[in-house]
Amino acid sequence: MSYSLDIFRKKLDPTKDFISFASFVSFFPQLVAGPIERASNLLPQILNKREFKYQQGVQGLKLIAWGMFKKVVIADSLAPIVDDIFLNYHHLDGGTLALGAVCFAFQIYGDFSGYSDIAIGTAKLFGIELKSNFKFPYLSRDIAEFWRRWHISLSTWFRDYLYIPLGGSRKGKWLSLRNIFVIFLVSGFWHGANWTFIIWGGIHAMMYVPLFIAGTNRKHITDVVAQDRWFPKIKEIVQIGMTFFFVTIAWVFFRSESVTDSVNFIVRIFSDFEILSIKKSGLYYCLVLFSIDWFLRRDERMELKFKSKLLENLFYLIIVAFVIAYFDNNLSEFIYFQF
């Protein structure tokens, strides 16, 4: 669609090379679940002559290993815990349900960003550079920053091909607010024809609107939390915590089978908050992924740079060892294969 729309708007010249166009359309690493690549980025790379670059290949293999770790070790270890909690939520205490919601937040992050890293790394082996799709989203200080870091290729696609053509923020506050709700609701509908996805999108729209009205929706565009420090400020901790809290509440609707299940799940968290049967093992996987993201937050995910070569090699040896150890344990399909 973006190829056809860009040609219609005269932003892109149609290619006369059918083989290259077919390669662009069917480029297998990102074909099933993204990143959603546009012709303006991918097609010129396919049309141009490419040579294998050793360093690019090394980066690709590292990203594949890191993506496999997030999928096999983190997401697939959390999957049975999440499935059990959401399936039996009627009989569980609020503390366990809260853990289930948090575990799903990290399961879907590890699953989908893991796939994206594998796709980007595989493309590097072919001399192709795909755009980054995730940039440490759970370190976001508000919902606007979250959407600049979560499924970036989808959010920017809706921005460029839906929000801006509808008028963007150029035609007054009320039309701008309408456009914001449209793109978030369509984002929910894109995941499936279920009211749970629509409400998920609506929750994100309601979190975004106050930032837009206050003019702070573009506050955190270039910086990361604790940019020049090891530890965040109290204010940043509160901001990250509040953003993650509302994002996780929205994830309950995304994960549940029906709106009724979603509402009952959330009500039980706040009305029956006891810690009786809580499965603490899930927290360990969440903390591991969060800690690694915090350590790497200053670097582009595409590079995964370390100051020490020894530390870098040790990191990837550990990653590969864990992937091998966990590979036959609770393997499950990628979540985004269903969308």
Side-chain angles (χ1 to χ4, degrees):
M1 287 178 63
S2 62
Y3 174 80
S4 300
L5 289 169
D6 283 348
I7 290 175
F8 177 76
R9 296 173 181 173
K10 302 186 184 303
K11 293 183 177 181
L12 186 70
D13 294 325
T15 179
K16 298 179 181 180
D17 187 333
F18 177 76
I19 299 298
S20 295
F21 175 76
S23 299
F24 153 66
V25 173
S26 61
F27 190 58
F28 76 92
Q30 47 78 240
L31 185 62
V32 180
I36 301 171
E37 276 296 341
R38 306 183 195 183
S40 56
N41 178 55
L42 184 53
L43 193 52
Q45 296 185 71
I46 293 175
L47 287 166
N48 293 334
K49 181 181 179 180
R50 296 180 308 282
E51 296 180 356
F52 178 77
K53 299 177 182 177
Y54 174 79
Q55 194 57 41
Q56 188 181 36
V58 170
Q59 291 173 358
L61 290 174
K62 288 177 178 179
L63 271 173
I64 291 171
W66 175 226
M68 289 289 289
F69 177 86
K70 287 194 285 187
K71 166 59 177 170
V72 174
V73 179
I74 304 296
D76 286 351
S77 295
L78 290 172
I81 298 172
V82 171
D83 292 344
D84 182 53
I85 292 175
F86 273 83
L87 184 64
N88 301 293
Y89 76 90
H90 295 94
H91 311 295
L92 300 173
D93 58 274
T96 302
L97 299 188
L99 174 68
V102 170
C103 285
F104 178 68
F106 280 92
Q107 179 200 356
I108 194 170
Y109 172 45
D111 191 285
F112 191 22
S113 68
Y115 178 92
S116 295
D117 287 340
I118 293 169
I120 294 168
T122 303
K124 283 178 178 288
L125 300 180
F126 292 88
I128 299 291
E129 293 290 339
L130 302 182
K131 293 191 175 180
S132 181
N133 208 24
F134 290 86
K135 293 182 180 179
F136 322 109
Y138 291 150
L139 299 179
S140 301
R141 288 152 289 184
D142 56 48
I143 199 64
E145 184 180 13
F146 175 82
W147 276 103
R148 282 191 289 271
R149 295 177 176 277
W150 177 275
H151 202 349
I152 301 166
S153 60
L154 179 66
S155 58
T156 54
W157 200 98
F158 280 127
R159 180 198 66 196
D160 295 341
Y161 296 102
L162 186 59
Y163 181 72
I164 292 176
L166 284 172
S169 55
R170 302 187 304 274
K171 297 184 178 181
K173 286 282 186 182
W174 288 111
L175 283 179
S176 299
L177 293 175
R178 180 206 67 178
N179 296 340
I180 289 170
F181 272 96
V182 167
I183 61 167
F184 277 111
L185 293 177
V186 169
S187 177
F189 190 69
W190 179 85
H191 289 88
N194 192 322
W195 281 109
T196 55
F197 296 123
I198 305 300
I199 293 175
W200 171 80
I203 292 172
H204 281 271
M206 288 187 289
M207 289 190 290
Y208 188 92
V209 163
L211 298 175
F212 180 80
I213 293 175
T216 59
N217 56 303
R218 298 179 63 82
K219 185 176 181 181
H220 305 294
I221 293 181
T222 58
D223 65 327
V224 297
V225 62
Q227 180 83 43
D228 302 314
R229 292 171 278 112
W230 271 105
F231 301 103
K233 298 177 181 177
I234 298 297
K235 179 182 178 181
E236 292 172 326
I237 294 174
V238 172
Q239 290 173 329
I240 292 172
M242 290 297 293
T243 303
F244 181 75
F245 172 80
F246 287 111
V247 167
T248 302
I249 291 295
W251 281 134
V252 173
F253 286 89
F254 194 96
R255 174 60 177 77
S256 299
E257 295 295 325
S258 68
V259 174
T260 301
D261 285 337
S262 307
V263 173
N264 289 339
F265 191 104
I266 294 170
V267 168
R268 284 188 64 83
I269 290 178
F270 294 103
S271 64
D272 185 29
F273 196 87
E274 297 180 46
I275 305 176
L276 300 177
S277 57
I278 192 165
K279 301 178 180 181
K280 298 179 182 178
S281 60
L283 284 177
Y284 303 147
Y285 295 106
C286 299
L287 287 172
V288 166
L289 185 52
F290 184 86
S291 299
I292 294 175
D293 266 14
W294 181 263
F295 175 73
L296 297 173
R297 72 190 184 283
R298 297 187 186 94
D299 296 322
E300 280 288 336
R301 181 71 49 86
M302 300 286 285
E303 301 295 340
L304 288 176
K305 296 176 182 177
F306 288 79
K307 292 183 178 179
S308 167
K309 195 66 178 177
L310 178 62
L311 182 63
E312 181 179 359
N313 291 335
L314 180 61
F315 174 79
Y316 284 105
L317 281 174
I318 294 172
I319 290 295
V320 172
F322 270 100
V323 170
I324 294 172
Y326 276 74
F327 197 77
D328 291 326
N329 184 32
N330 300 319
L331 287 178
S332 60
E333 187 181 61
F334 285 96
I335 293 174
Y336 264 68
F337 277 12
Q338 65 185 291
F339 302 129

